[in-house]
């Protein structure tokens, strides 16, 4: 059976060995050789981006690798990750930051391009995240399709969010179909539809589990899940996961009195026996939710930054957007055990050695 794979965390080794979060799929054999893998990556990237741009009516634009520090344009992700910085000689050593993602930059671009409601932009985003904990899914190098679309005030609803999620998931499944047709040794595994659940409901279902364990449980049950409401505190006083306060709207009340107009697309990935995030996305903050979330996080000083002033002064359109991992999507659809089989990055020597012994040759 293709997915009859036992997984053992590397951290079960003895204490004298280097600790790691690497998942070791026993009896792993790549279904494609190196040449086929490179061809498959090209196939998936070209087909998916054409599909998603057509599905969501997105125009491709060119994006920056870095932005000036202090403008509030770079994303803070969970709020603790350090950006890679460097001085610019010809700007009197002004400091530039390598982007984490482009959520705020895209919204500025929507205004600059004068994009109408119902249309948007997408770009190839490349980033360096120096604080990532390296494992099968996480790399120092991040590549994703960052997209953003203009919406109306009436579309700032859970119903509209779900509709967009379903369209993105449909594009993923179409890409899976093409991949399996091209390489018959790869068999499809994604379910026909994606299941929606709020992070609070997930907590009530599995009150004794950690957020990661809840994700594993719900994804194994349904195959593909969109978890709504990530960033705000749940009834246990904890967040399901962190979100910066100034791009996704995680505090506006949605269905059934539960806060959150954002979430993550996750699937159950049998190759590694765990949940697997493919996309983080959501309806973006408006003036009211930005002020509310900055206050909740004790970050009111950000109101004076360039991006935030633009938003508070009504100079930016309402929008929905997110990022879809390019290497991650290729990894899943090509049934690879490690993201390093898809992209070139830096890995610990012990991880490279361990992966090679397991059949996962890192680029």
């Amino acid at each position: 059976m293709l997915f009859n794979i036992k997984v053992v965390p590397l951290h079960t080794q003895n204490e004298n060995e280097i600790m790691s979060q690497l998942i070791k799929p026993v009896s792993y054999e790549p279904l494609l050789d190196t040449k086929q893998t490179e061809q498959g990556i090209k196939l998936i990237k070209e087909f998916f981006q054409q599909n998603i741009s057509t599905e969501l009516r997105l125009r491709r634009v060119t994006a920056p690798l870095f932005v000036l520090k202090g403008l509030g344009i770079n994303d803070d992700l969970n709020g603790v990750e350090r950006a890679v910085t460097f001085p610019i000689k010809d700007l009197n050593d002004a400091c530039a930051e390598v982007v984490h993602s482009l959520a705020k930059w895209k919204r500025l671009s929507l205004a600059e391009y004068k994009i109408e409601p119902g249309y948007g932009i997408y770009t190839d985003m490349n980033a360096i995240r120096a604080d990532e904990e390296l494992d099968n899914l996480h790399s120092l190098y991040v590549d994703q399709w960052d997209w953003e679309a203009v919406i109306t005030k009436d579309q700032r609803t859970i119903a509209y969010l779900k509709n967009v999620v379903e369209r993105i998931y449909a594009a993923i499944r179409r890409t899976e179909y093409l991949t399996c047709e091209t390489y018959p040794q790869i068999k499809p595994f994604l379910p026909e539809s994606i299941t929606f659940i709020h992070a609070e409901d997930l907590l009530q279902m599995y009150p004794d589990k950690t957020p990661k364990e809840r994700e594993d449980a719900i994804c194994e049950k349904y195959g593909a899940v969109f978890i709504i409401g990530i960033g705000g505190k749940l009834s246990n006083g904890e967040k399901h996961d962190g979100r910066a306060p100034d791009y996704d709207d995680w505090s506006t009340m949605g269905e059934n009195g539960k806060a959150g107009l954002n979430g993550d697309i996750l699937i159950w990935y049998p190759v590694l026996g765990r949940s697997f995030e493919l996309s983080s996305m959501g309806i973006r903050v408006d003036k009211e939710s930005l002020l509310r979330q900055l206050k909740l996080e004790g970050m009111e000083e950000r109101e004076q930054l360039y991006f935030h002033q633009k938003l508070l002064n009504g100079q930016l359109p309402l929008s929905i957007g997110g990022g879809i991992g390019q290497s991650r999507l290729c990894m899943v659809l090509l049934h690879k055990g490690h993201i390093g089989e898809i992209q070139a990055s830096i890995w610990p020597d012990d991880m490279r050695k361990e992966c090679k012994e397991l059949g996962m040759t890192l680029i």
Side-chain angles (χ1 to χ4, degrees), residues 73-258:
I73 297 175
N74 202 1
D75 292 336
D76 296 289
L77 302 176
N78 292 334
V80 297
E81 292 88 350
R82 300 169 300 166
V84 175
T85 62
F86 60 92
I88 306 171
K89 180 180 178 181
D90 278 0
L91 292 181
N92 297 318
D93 283 344
C95 190
E97 294 180 331
V98 176
V99 298
H100 278 146
S101 77
L102 295 168
K104 299 172 197 170
W105 177 88
K106 290 177 298 179
R107 199 162 176 185
L108 291 167
S109 297
L110 291 177
E112 183 177 344
Y113 285 113
K114 296 180 173 58
I115 303 295
E116 296 293 325
Y119 295 87
I121 59 174
Y122 82 95
T123 188
D124 291 290
M125 190 282 294
N126 296 284
I128 300 172
R129 296 182 183 171
D131 288 341
E132 285 284 16
E133 296 182 2
L134 305 181
D135 57 25
N136 303 64
L137 309 184
H138 298 91
S139 169
L140 300 175
Y141 169 60
V142 178
D143 57 338
Q144 63 186 32
W145 290 286
D146 248 323
W147 65 275
E148 198 85 7
V150 179
I151 61 175
T152 64
K153 184 177 181 179
D154 292 342
Q155 290 173 323
R156 299 189 80 258
T157 65
I158 289 291
Y160 186 77
L161 175 65
K162 288 181 176 181
N163 176 265
V164 174
V165 169
E166 288 171 341
R167 289 155 66 188
I168 293 173
Y169 185 69
I172 292 173
R173 289 194 69 239
R174 284 194 293 271
T175 309
E176 181 190 45
Y177 174 79
L178 175 66
T179 305
C180 295
E181 284 289 292
T182 305
Y183 303 103
Q185 64 269 43
I186 298 177
K187 305 303 179 185
F189 70 94
L190 294 175
E192 182 177 345
S193 60
I194 187 167
T195 298
F196 294 90
I197 186 167
H198 194 279
E200 177 62 34
D201 295 326
L202 191 58
L203 170 63
Q204 298 305 317
M205 287 177 66
Y206 306 107
D208 298 326
K209 295 183 182 293
T210 66
K212 179 63 184 65
E213 290 170 343
R214 287 176 226 145
E215 291 178 356
D216 287 344
I218 199 69
C219 286
E220 186 172 18
K221 181 176 182 178
Y222 291 110
V225 178
F226 185 77
I227 300 177
I228 302 168
I230 296 179
K233 290 184 179 180
L234 305 176
S235 60
N236 63 353
E238 300 176 358
K239 299 178 180 181
H240 180 84
D241 200 357
R243 283 292 188 279
D246 43 16
Y247 56 98
D248 278 356
D249 184 341
W250 41 258
S251 64
T252 294
M253 302 304 282
E255 290 180 345
N256 302 319
K258 298 184 180 72

Side-chain angles (χ1 to χ4, degrees), residues 336-353:
K336 296 294 185 177
H338 196 290
I339 200 166
E341 297 177 87
I342 298 295
Q343 57 158 250
S345 187
I346 297 174
W347 308 98
D349 289 341
D350 66 315
M351 183 179 289
R352 281 191 174 275
K353 179 180 178 182

Side-chain angles (χ1 to χ4, degrees), residues 30-43:
L31 301 179
L32 304 179
D33 61 27
T34 303
K35 179 180 178 180
Q36 290 173 317
T37 297
E38 293 290 359
Q39 292 172 335
I41 293 171
K42 182 174 183 290
L43 173 77

